């Protein structure tokens, strides 16, 4: 029997599954994309022809799926065909409401849920340097913690599934807000005639330093590649989930709502598959300036 299964081999799931293989595990994997399956199988994983075939072989299933709706649909299939599954580890970002619903769905089949969303993007997934927030029953967390450490730093935030999702939404709204305000500031500076690389150097040497100024702006905006690897539609989904939870808790989020507006405009202008770093592009258009380093402008 294979120890673990992995469902969802997309931009994040594929690299995470490969990290498990690299750590000496042989996961049984499933995805709708045969191309995605082939890459991981070529590295040493085992392919399952169906989700039901996977549940018959493993005790622990990792999920890395794009939306709460997909996560819940997969959870229902697992619960209806539990096989040998004892626990599910959800690496997706679903929001606390859907995660608690997933826990209830799985509990009917006697399956525990470890809620463990991740932060760090595609680069972090490939390097094994993700931040993993985890919440779930202690006995099941103890089983999966050594597996999770193959993916990055694991921080246990609570016992109840759903709490890690709240932490992930807090992390994501801070990340999105820093990208939005840094993009606005960079456009302002470019309009004033400042060199964008010098702006980044100053920000990173001072109190304006953020993940956007350290990573996203210099690596994906200034060269004009816009290929951080996270779609604007998924980022907007995470923002929406955060604002919904804040509203449920009675916490006002004025800045968060402004960030949501900019991301929504970007999605409308450039499509759902545009990279999240494209949030600077509507600002550039409105200001009639581009924030690019000289080599990118000449390309």
């Amino acid at each position: 029997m294979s120890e673990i299964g992995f469902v969802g081999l997309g931009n994040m799931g594929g690299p995470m599954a490969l990290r498990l293989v690299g750590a000496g595990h042989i996961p049984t994997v499933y995805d709708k994309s045969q191309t995605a399956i082939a890459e991981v199988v070529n590295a040493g994983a085992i392919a399952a022809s169906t989700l039901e075939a996977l549940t018959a072989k493993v005790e622990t299933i990792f999920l890395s799926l794009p939306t709460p709706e997909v996560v819940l649909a997969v959870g229902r299939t697992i619960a209806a065909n539990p096989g040998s599954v004892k626990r599910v580890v959800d690496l997706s970002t679903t929001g606390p409401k859907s995660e608690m619903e997933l826990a209830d769905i799985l509990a009917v089949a006697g399956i525990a849920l470890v809620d463990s969303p991740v932060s760090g993007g595609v680069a972090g997934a490939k390097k094994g340097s993700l931040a993993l927030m985890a919440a779930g029953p202690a006995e099941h967390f103890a089983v999966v913690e050594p597996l999770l450490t193959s993916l990055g730093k694991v921080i246990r935030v609570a016992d109840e599934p759903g709490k890690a999702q709240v932490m992930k939404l807090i992390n994501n709204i801070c990340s999105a807000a820093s990208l939005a305000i840094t993009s606005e500031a960079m456009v302002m500076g470019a309009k004033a005639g400042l060199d964008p690389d010098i702006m980044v150097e100053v920000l990173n040497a001072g109190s304006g330093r953020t993940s956007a100024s350290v990573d996203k702006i210099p690596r994906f905006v200034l060269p004009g590649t816009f290929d951080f690897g996270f779609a604007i539609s998924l980022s907007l989904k995470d923002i929406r989930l955060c604002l919904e939870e804040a509203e449920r808790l009675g916490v006002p989020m004025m800045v968060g709502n402004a960030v949501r507006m900019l991301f929504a405009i970007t999605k409308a202008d450039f499509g759902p598959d545009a990279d999240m770093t494209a949030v600077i592009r509507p600002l550039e258009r409105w200001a009639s300036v581009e924030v690019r380093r000289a080599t990118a402008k000449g390309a």
Side-chain angles (χ1 to χ4, degrees):
M1 180 186 296
S2 175
E3 178 187 1
I4 56 177
F6 205 107
V7 179
L9 304 172
N11 287 344
M12 293 293 293
M16 286 192 283
L18 288 170
R19 292 292 309 181
L20 291 171
V21 173
H25 304 287
I26 307 176
T28 299
V29 299
Y30 176 74
D31 192 280
K32 289 185 176 180
S33 167
Q34 293 302 311
T35 301
I37 289 176
E39 181 179 0
V40 183
V41 168
N42 288 341
I46 300 169
S49 57
T50 64
L51 186 53
E52 292 82 357
L54 184 144
T55 62
K57 296 180 60 178
V58 305
E59 292 186 349
T60 301
I61 297 179
F62 289 87
L63 305 180
S64 180
L65 299 166
T67 67
E69 293 77 17
V70 175
V71 169
L72 291 174
V74 169
R76 291 186 187 98
T77 300
I78 293 171
N81 305 272
S84 55
V85 179
K86 294 182 178 179
R87 65 194 66 83
V88 167
V89 182
D90 187 16
L91 304 167
S92 319
T93 301
T94 66
K97 181 180 178 182
S98 293
E99 199 70 5
M100 288 185 284
E101 184 177 350
L102 176 63
D104 290 341
I105 290 169
L106 295 172
V108 173
I111 300 171
L113 174 64
V114 176
D115 167 22
S116 186
V118 305
S119 178
V122 175
K126 290 179 178 178
K127 294 177 184 177
S129 60
L130 294 170
L132 297 98
M133 297 137 270
E139 64 271 26
H140 292 281
F141 175 74
V143 173
V144 302
E145 185 179 15
L147 300 169
L148 293 173
T149 56
S150 300
L151 309 178
K153 181 178 181 180
V154 184
I155 304 170
R156 189 160 184 253
V157 300
D159 291 332
E160 315 87 57
K163 290 292 194 294
Q165 291 292 328
V166 175
M167 187 66 246
K168 175 62 189 300
L169 296 180
I170 291 169
N171 177 83
N172 280 17
I173 197 70
C174 290
S175 176
S178 70
L179 178 59
I181 193 61
T182 306
S183 295
E184 288 184 346
M186 293 294 294
V187 169
M188 175 185 171
K191 188 74 173 183
L194 294 174
D195 180 276
D197 281 303
I198 292 176
M199 281 193 281
V200 166
E201 183 180 0
V202 172
L203 288 173
N204 291 337
S207 58
R209 184 175 185 268
T210 67
S211 61
S213 65
V214 170
D215 183 50
K216 297 183 183 74
I217 298 292
R219 292 184 60 200
F220 308 106
V221 173
L222 299 193
T225 57
F226 300 103
D227 56 356
F228 172 67
F230 198 67
I232 193 75
S233 58
L234 294 178
S235 189
L236 188 57
K237 177 262 295 184
D238 292 352
I239 294 168
R240 173 182 59 80
L241 290 172
C242 182
L243 296 180
E244 288 175 354
E245 181 63 11
E247 183 177 1
R248 188 187 72 80
L249 293 170
V251 177
M253 279 202 164
M254 289 78 77
V255 174
N257 275 288
V259 172
R260 179 181 187 174
M261 183 181 300
L262 178 57
F263 276 66
I265 290 168
T266 306
K267 178 185 174 184
D269 286 356
F270 298 98
D273 296 328
D275 195 77
M276 68 177 297
T277 54
V279 293
I280 198 170
R281 297 180 71 185
L283 302 169
E284 292 175 329
R285 187 178 67 241
W286 297 333
S288 300
V289 67
E290 282 194 343
V291 183
R292 305 287 184 275
R293 58 175 54 104
T295 52
K297 290 179 180 179

Short mmCIF file of all heavy atoms in Angstrom, two decimals, residues 195-197 218-219 221-225 290-299:
data_model
loop_
_atom_site.label_atom_id
_atom_site.label_comp_id
_atom_site.label_asym_id
_atom_site.label_seq_id
_atom_site.Cartn_x
_atom_site.Cartn_y
_atom_site.Cartn_z
N ASP A 195 14.24 56.31 -11.54
CA ASP A 195 14.63 55.01 -12.08
C ASP A 195 14.02 53.90 -11.22
O ASP A 195 14.16 53.91 -9.99
CB ASP A 195 16.16 54.88 -12.06
CG ASP A 195 16.62 53.55 -12.63
OD1 ASP A 195 16.63 52.56 -11.86
OD2 ASP A 195 16.96 53.49 -13.82
N PRO A 196 13.31 52.93 -11.83
CA PRO A 196 12.61 51.93 -11.03
C PRO A 196 13.53 51.03 -10.21
O PRO A 196 13.18 50.64 -9.09
CB PRO A 196 11.82 51.12 -12.06
CG PRO A 196 12.49 51.39 -13.36
CD PRO A 196 13.02 52.78 -13.27
N ASP A 197 14.71 50.71 -10.73
CA ASP A 197 15.64 49.89 -9.94
C ASP A 197 16.14 50.63 -8.71
O ASP A 197 16.32 50.04 -7.64
CB ASP A 197 16.82 49.44 -10.81
CG ASP A 197 16.46 48.26 -11.71
OD1 ASP A 197 16.03 47.23 -11.16
OD2 ASP A 197 16.60 48.37 -12.93
N PRO A 218 10.69 43.64 -8.66
CA PRO A 218 11.95 43.53 -9.41
C PRO A 218 12.04 42.32 -10.32
O PRO A 218 12.68 42.39 -11.39
CB PRO A 218 13.02 43.50 -8.32
CG PRO A 218 12.32 43.07 -7.08
CD PRO A 218 10.92 43.60 -7.19
N ARG A 219 11.42 41.21 -9.95
CA ARG A 219 11.59 39.98 -10.73
C ARG A 219 10.57 39.80 -11.84
O ARG A 219 10.85 39.14 -12.84
CB ARG A 219 11.54 38.76 -9.79
CG ARG A 219 12.73 38.65 -8.85
CD ARG A 219 12.66 37.38 -8.03
NE ARG A 219 12.68 36.20 -8.90
CZ ARG A 219 12.27 35.00 -8.52
NH1 ARG A 219 11.78 34.81 -7.30
NH2 ARG A 219 12.33 33.98 -9.34
N VAL A 221 7.85 42.46 -12.67
CA VAL A 221 7.30 43.69 -13.26
C VAL A 221 8.37 44.46 -14.03
O VAL A 221 8.17 44.79 -15.20
CB VAL A 221 6.67 44.59 -12.17
CG1 VAL A 221 6.25 45.93 -12.77
CG2 VAL A 221 5.45 43.89 -11.55
N LEU A 222 9.49 44.73 -13.40
CA LEU A 222 10.52 45.53 -14.07
C LEU A 222 11.02 44.90 -15.37
O LEU A 222 11.26 45.61 -16.34
CB LEU A 222 11.70 45.80 -13.12
CG LEU A 222 11.38 46.59 -11.84
CD1 LEU A 222 12.66 47.06 -11.18
CD2 LEU A 222 10.45 47.76 -12.11
N PRO A 223 11.16 43.57 -15.45
CA PRO A 223 11.54 42.98 -16.74
C PRO A 223 10.37 42.83 -17.71
O PRO A 223 10.55 42.48 -18.87
CB PRO A 223 12.12 41.61 -16.36
CG PRO A 223 11.66 41.32 -15.00
CD PRO A 223 11.23 42.60 -14.35
N GLY A 224 9.13 43.08 -17.21
CA GLY A 224 7.96 42.99 -18.07
C GLY A 224 7.50 41.59 -18.38
O GLY A 224 6.75 41.37 -19.33
N THR A 225 7.90 40.61 -17.55
CA THR A 225 7.51 39.21 -17.82
C THR A 225 6.15 38.85 -17.23
O THR A 225 5.43 38.01 -17.78
CB THR A 225 8.57 38.26 -17.27
OG1 THR A 225 8.73 38.50 -15.85
CG2 THR A 225 9.89 38.44 -17.97
N GLU A 290 5.11 53.49 -18.02
CA GLU A 290 5.40 52.09 -17.72
C GLU A 290 6.55 52.00 -16.73
O GLU A 290 7.51 52.75 -16.83
CB GLU A 290 5.77 51.31 -18.99
CG GLU A 290 4.59 50.91 -19.85
CD GLU A 290 4.96 49.87 -20.90
OE1 GLU A 290 6.19 49.71 -21.17
OE2 GLU A 290 4.06 49.24 -21.45
N VAL A 291 6.42 51.07 -15.78
CA VAL A 291 7.46 50.84 -14.79
C VAL A 291 8.29 49.65 -15.25
O VAL A 291 7.97 48.49 -14.95
CB VAL A 291 6.86 50.57 -13.39
CG1 VAL A 291 7.96 50.40 -12.36
CG2 VAL A 291 5.92 51.71 -13.00
N ARG A 292 9.35 49.92 -16.02
CA ARG A 292 10.21 48.87 -16.56
C ARG A 292 11.66 49.34 -16.46
O ARG A 292 11.94 50.53 -16.59
CB ARG A 292 9.90 48.56 -18.03
CG ARG A 292 8.48 48.22 -18.34
CD ARG A 292 8.07 46.83 -17.87
NE ARG A 292 6.70 46.61 -18.32
CZ ARG A 292 5.61 47.01 -17.65
NH1 ARG A 292 5.76 47.63 -16.48
NH2 ARG A 292 4.41 46.82 -18.13
N ARG A 293 12.55 48.40 -16.30
CA ARG A 293 13.96 48.78 -16.37
C ARG A 293 14.34 49.00 -17.84
O ARG A 293 13.65 48.51 -18.75
CB ARG A 293 14.86 47.75 -15.70
CG ARG A 293 14.79 46.35 -16.25
CD ARG A 293 15.85 45.47 -15.55
NE ARG A 293 15.73 45.52 -14.08
CZ ARG A 293 15.21 44.54 -13.34
NH1 ARG A 293 14.74 43.45 -13.95
NH2 ARG A 293 15.15 44.67 -12.05
N ALA A 294 15.41 49.72 -18.08
CA ALA A 294 15.77 50.15 -19.43
C ALA A 294 15.93 48.98 -20.39
O ALA A 294 15.51 49.05 -21.55
CB ALA A 294 17.05 50.98 -19.37
N THR A 295 16.51 47.88 -19.93
CA THR A 295 16.72 46.74 -20.82
C THR A 295 15.39 46.14 -21.27
O THR A 295 15.27 45.68 -22.40
CB THR A 295 17.55 45.67 -20.11
OG1 THR A 295 16.96 45.36 -18.83
CG2 THR A 295 18.97 46.15 -19.89
N ALA A 296 14.39 46.14 -20.39
CA ALA A 296 13.08 45.60 -20.77
C ALA A 296 12.40 46.50 -21.78
O ALA A 296 11.71 46.04 -22.70
CB ALA A 296 12.21 45.44 -19.52
N LYS A 297 12.55 47.82 -21.62
CA LYS A 297 11.93 48.75 -22.56
C LYS A 297 12.53 48.63 -23.96
O LYS A 297 11.86 48.79 -24.95
CB LYS A 297 12.10 50.19 -22.05
CG LYS A 297 11.27 50.52 -20.82
CD LYS A 297 11.51 51.95 -20.38
CE LYS A 297 10.68 52.28 -19.13
NZ LYS A 297 10.93 53.66 -18.67
N GLY A 298 13.80 48.29 -24.00
CA GLY A 298 14.46 48.19 -25.30
C GLY A 298 14.27 46.85 -25.97
O GLY A 298 14.67 46.68 -27.13
N ALA A 299 13.70 45.89 -25.24
CA ALA A 299 13.54 44.53 -25.80
C ALA A 299 12.49 44.50 -26.88
O ALA A 299 11.57 45.29 -26.90
CB ALA A 299 13.18 43.57 -24.68
#
